[in-house]
Structure formats: structure tokens, C-alpha cells
Amino acid sequence: MRTTRLALPGRGLTHRLWKDRGGAVAVVLAALIIPLVGFVGLAIDTGRGQAVKARLAQALDAAALAGGRVYFEGRRDDDIRMFFAANFPAGFMGARVQPLAIREDLAAGTLTVSTTATLDTSFMSVLGFGEMTVAGRTVVRRADRGMELVLVMDNTGSMYQGGGSGNRINRMKAAAAELVDILYGNREVIDNFWIGLVPYTASVNVGSGRTSWLVPGSLAGLNYGTSSWKGCVEARDQTGHDMNDTPPSQAPFKPFHFASFAEDNNWPSIDETAKTNTTSNNGRGPNLGCGPAITPLTASKATVKAAIANMNSWHRGGTTSNEGLAWGWRVISPRWRGLWGGATPATLPLDYGTRLMDKVAIILTDGKNELYRHNNSSLGSDYGAFGRLKAGRLGTTTNLTTARRELNRRTLEICRAMKAQGVIIYAITFEVDNDTAGLEGKQTFRDCATTPAHYFDNPVGTDLRQTFRVIAGRLGNLRLAE
């Protein structure tokens, strides 16, 4: 019988086979380690990149908002860089940051800040990626609160100073128009945003159509020659009513009437035009020194800019900033709701403290409060909102300095009353002299402003445009847009 055996491999052959398998496994493991390390490194480096990106976004947000708050100030870009550096320390996680790119868009009301950060990878280099770059970009845009804003602008004869396109009145008009452009951007109207304009001289023009605001019968018997009542009114002579917002139904006004007087206003030959040359103080007429009418609250950008363009420097009378400010208050006072008519809705002005609504007044003058005395008139001064000096309505019948200081006092009384109602006041003195009267006037405006930061003094006027840009920036509220 034949027996068949199964021949098993010997020990030496088995060892060689396992040795060959171990080599193959080593090759496979070696091949797998590289992508394995790469994928693990990808997770680690991606985490680092995400941390840098998050910190970058936070720093850009802080920087852009800080820059937006001082949008039109010279330090804006420095503030942006400072806030960015404070929130993204140099060398954070080894990142190298490119210089910030800062871009403004006035029409859109936006400020954009962007940059990139590059960092070396720790593990991804095994896959051929030695560094990674993350980008960041923040856009802030004004999200305007509702506002009733009134511009109270000096239109007196001294605003002609300098002559031509470079005179004060034209520089003021250009700065005020730019403020309007900034606030509106490329829009013609903004929801819940209203602007009024009060040009003032020694009196204020409320508009010739508002005869119902006058003392009944007060126009009767007044001789306006070949002219007619233009719309200027006297300050109310009832106790305190020249400094408050009492409506005309309770305290009516008397019409402005600069009577003919041989010494300083001999008419019926009439020339009441705005100041156009150095001899225009020889003008004459019953409306002499009466400037353009108030533009009450309107939503229209075009209407406001047209009213600004219509302002001019009107000679004679002097300067009564207190009257300008009193009328500025009345333009935004809820006690005058429904009285203005025209483009102003009957629902305006709104109540004080209305949610998400501000009431703001900006007042500018190029001189001190004063009564002007032409040709050494025996009546003590020109006629204005408080009559002539001889009338004694300012605590004196002879002393112009006493009258000036009384005008300053009344200005401050109006400011205090407005601020007590929450009205925000920006005050600007423009090329005002540094003599005693000028310094007193500057102090009056400084004290009138809501805070010292709301007061601007422009001793040479070169920065008036910048002043209005700064104020516009403060009036616009900011939000992150992108």
C-alpha cells in the first residue's frame, strides 16, 4: 500500500515569507504616513488659520467703527490703525499682516477697512503648502437716527468780509452745503430726517405770508413806500417771550419797520439789497437789513441746498444771535407743531424725547452780538429786532456795551432752555476778533454749546469746512454693513 504525505514548508521558508511581508507593510505604512500627517496637520493649521481669521475680523470691526466715529477728522486713519493694533497684537500666532487698506465713499456713506494676514504652516508643508493667507474686510455705514436739524446762520454784513468767492458768507455756504451732502449722501430724502434753515441778521424773517402771527392790526398805518412788509419781525417785548418758544397765538409779533430818518435811513427812495460792496451801508428802506426767510423743516435735500445758496450778507442793524437761536428753537419746538405749513407736515415738530429722534441746532456767527450805529445816529443805533437803542429794551438807552452784554445774556438763557429740553447745540465762532467783545462772544458760544466738544472756534476760517465735516460725522450713527 502506498502512503502519500503532505509536505509542509520548512521553518526557513516560513521565516523568509514573513520577512518579505514585513517589508511590504513597511512600504505601505510609509506611503500612508505622509498623507496622514498632512491631514492631521491640515486640521491643526486650519484651526490656527480660523483663530487668526476670527481675531482679524474682530480687530477690523473695532478699527472701522473707531474710524467711522471720526470720519472727517484728520486723525481718522491713525485711530483706525491704533484700534486695529490694540485688537490684533503684532505677531499674533506668528501671522504677518499687510498694511491696512482704508477707503471712504461719501456718496454711499461708507468706510471700508481691509487687510490680509499670512502665517507659516506647521504640518501642511509636507503637502507642499508652506503658508496660508486669510483676508478680512469690514464696511461701516451710517444708519441715521431720525433727526430734526436746524441751521442757524449769520447773514450780517460782516459776512461779506474778504469779498468775492472767498468771503465768509460763501465759505459758510459751501461748508453748510457739504454738511447736507454728507448727511443725505446720494439720497434726496431720508426717513424721519428733516432740516430747517434760519438766516439771521439784526432780526429774523419769518416769511411775508405769516401775517396771522402778527399783533392784530399792527401792519395798518405802517408806511412801506413802494415796498411792502418783507417778513422780518421784532423780538417780542412781553417779559421773557423773546427767549422762549411760546407760540404766536399766545404772544404775537410786531412787524419789522425801519422808519425813515434823515440821519441814517432817509427814504422813500429805497435800496434794501444785500451787501455787494464796501459802501452798501448807505442802503435805505423800511426793510433795511432784513435777510431771507426761514426755511422750516423739510425732508428735501434740494430745498435745503437751494435755501443755503440763497443766503447773502445783509448790511446794517448789527448782530443778534439770540434772535437767530430763538427762531431756530421755534423751528423744532413741538409747541409750534402744525404752524409752519408748506412742505412741513402738520405732525412736525415732534415731541421732545421721541424714540430714535434727535433735535439738533447748529449756530454760526462771524462776530459778537451788537447793535450797529450808522452815521453816529442820535437814536443810539440802527433799528433791529429790539428797536433802536433809545427804546431801552436792552437795559440801557445810551450804552452799546451794556446792550451787547445783555444780548449775550439772553443768548445763554435761550441755550439753557433748549438744552433743558434735550436739544443738542453745536456752536461755531468764525473769524471772530480776539478783542474784549470778541472774547466775550466766544465764551458765550462756548457756554451755549451742549459740551465744550460741541463748540468750534475758527480763528482764521481755513478749517470751517473741516468743522462742518466733523459735525456731520458726529451726527451720522454707524453700523456694520459688511
Side-chain angles (χ1 to χ4, degrees), residues 134-370:
V134 295
R137 175 175 177 268
T138 294
V139 181
V140 294
R141 177 180 290 116
R142 288 199 312 270
D144 302 295
R145 284 169 58 90
M147 187 185 306
E148 293 174 358
L149 170 65
V150 61
L151 306 178
V152 183
M153 303 279 101
D154 188 336
N155 277 216
T156 57
S158 59
M159 289 293 286
Y160 185 73
Q161 184 72 31
S165 61
N167 64 13
R168 293 172 183 166
I169 190 76
N170 283 325
R171 281 182 282 160
M172 180 184 73
K173 287 160 65 172
E178 184 176 21
L179 175 137
V180 173
D181 282 335
I182 291 169
L183 292 176
Y184 276 92
N186 53 13
R187 296 164 289 182
E188 170 59 23
V189 297
I190 301 175
D191 289 343
N192 300 317
F193 186 74
W194 308 86
I195 299 186
L197 178 69
V198 178
Y200 72 92
T201 56
S203 60
V204 173
N205 185 342
V206 301
S208 60
R210 297 193 168 96
T211 55
S212 62
W213 295 2
L214 301 178
V215 173
S218 57
L219 281 173
L222 293 180
N223 176 20
Y224 284 89
T226 57
S227 183
S228 60
W229 178 59
K230 185 177 178 181
C232 280
V233 293
E234 290 189 7
R236 293 184 289 203
D237 52 11
Q238 304 98 319
T239 303
H241 283 313
D242 66 300
M243 296 180 282
N244 64 30
D245 63 340
T246 302
S249 59
Q250 299 177 35
F253 298 85
K254 293 179 180 177
F256 182 98
H257 182 257
F258 200 149
S260 180
F261 188 58
E263 293 179 10
D264 61 4
N265 187 18
N266 189 20
W267 57 276
S269 177
I270 294 174
D271 177 10
E272 300 168 340
T273 55
K275 181 168 184 173
T276 55
N277 54 64
T278 57
T279 63
S280 63
N281 275 341
N282 293 321
R284 55 204 175 275
N287 294 298
L288 187 62
C290 177
I294 289 173
T295 300
L297 293 176
T298 176
S300 168
K301 173 184 177 182
T303 298
V304 175
K305 291 194 68 176
I308 291 172
N310 189 49
M311 292 192 300
N312 212 326
S313 47
W314 293 82
H315 52 295
R316 302 290 295 273
T319 303
T320 56
S321 296
N322 54 310
E323 273 299 286
L325 193 60
W327 278 106
W329 184 13
R330 294 159 191 159
V331 166
I332 59 175
S333 167
R335 299 183 71 187
W336 288 65
R337 181 178 299 148
L339 297 183
W340 289 101
T344 306
T347 55
L348 295 182
L350 297 176
D351 289 337
Y352 298 116
T354 297
R355 185 174 179 272
L356 299 179
M357 288 292 295
D358 293 325
K359 290 182 185 284
V360 182
I362 301 174
I363 181 168
L364 177 147
T365 186
D366 77 326
K368 53 265 188 184
N369 282 324
E370 64 178 348

